[in-house]
Amino acid sequence: MKDCLFCKIVSGEIPGNPVYEDDEIYMFNDISPQAPVHILAIPKRHIATSNDLKTGDEILIGKLFLKLKEVAQGIDKLKNGYRIVTNCGAESGQSVFHIHFHLLGGRPMKWPPG
Ligand code: AMP
Ligand code: ZN
């Protein structure tokens, strides 16, 4: 989608450095890491928020989640645990409106998040 930051990263218009990529999924390091490991996982297809998911997207999102788990299991700093979180809407703190899953870890995490 035009004017979407993450679509531009997927298309290569903005240089990216993927941690993982296949035909449907793209993962890259967050530009402002909030933990020693902070990876963003996105579907390549533009979906703005979790509220915009539709019947049929469960395959894509399920695949993304399983791949994220595989990536996490391959990172030594995450061997004691990690967090996967997605923000939906302005009040949650969502700032980029292309659905993304944060993979965070490498330090003790607090609960509840702020
Ligand atoms: P959210 O606040 O949940 O929408 O998360 C958006 C995330 O995108 C933030 O953690 C930002 O640091 C991250 N971000 C913004 N621009 C870039 C970029 N060009 N490359 C990588 N991560 C980015
Ligand atoms: Zn997009």
Side-chain angles (χ1 to χ4, degrees):
M1 186 197 233
K2 203 172 152 290
D3 296 333
C4 170
L5 174 65
F6 287 174
C7 283
K8 286 181 182 170
I9 290 175
V10 167
S11 72
E13 193 179 327
I14 292 174
N17 188 15
V19 172
Y20 173 83
E21 181 176 14
D22 64 27
D23 53 338
E24 292 180 298
I25 294 166
Y26 195 91
M27 299 186 198
F28 54 107
N29 285 309
D30 196 292
I31 201 168
S32 175
Q34 301 301 309
V37 177
H38 189 171
I39 290 169
L40 300 175
I42 64 173
K44 287 187 168 179
R45 175 162 61 84
H46 184 85
I47 299 169
T49 79
S50 51
N51 276 344
D52 299 296
L53 291 168
K54 298 197 168 35
T55 302
D57 290 335
E58 57 268 44
I59 297 169
L60 172 64
I61 298 302
K63 192 179 152 191
L64 184 151
F65 212 91
L66 285 178
K67 195 51 76 176
L68 199 44
K69 176 211 70 164
E70 273 179 36
V71 167
Q73 286 182 310
I75 298 174
D76 193 57
K77 283 182 183 166
L78 302 184
K79 65 179 184 300
N80 293 322
Y82 55 85
R83 180 173 294 169
I84 294 172
V85 65
T86 187
N87 295 319
C88 177
E91 194 160 324
S92 74
Q94 185 176 7
S95 60
V96 178
F97 284 76
H98 180 132
I99 192 170
H100 50 280
F101 296 83
H102 298 257
L103 171 63
L104 294 148
R107 64 166 169 80
M109 312 293 281
K110 295 196 176 97
W111 193 262

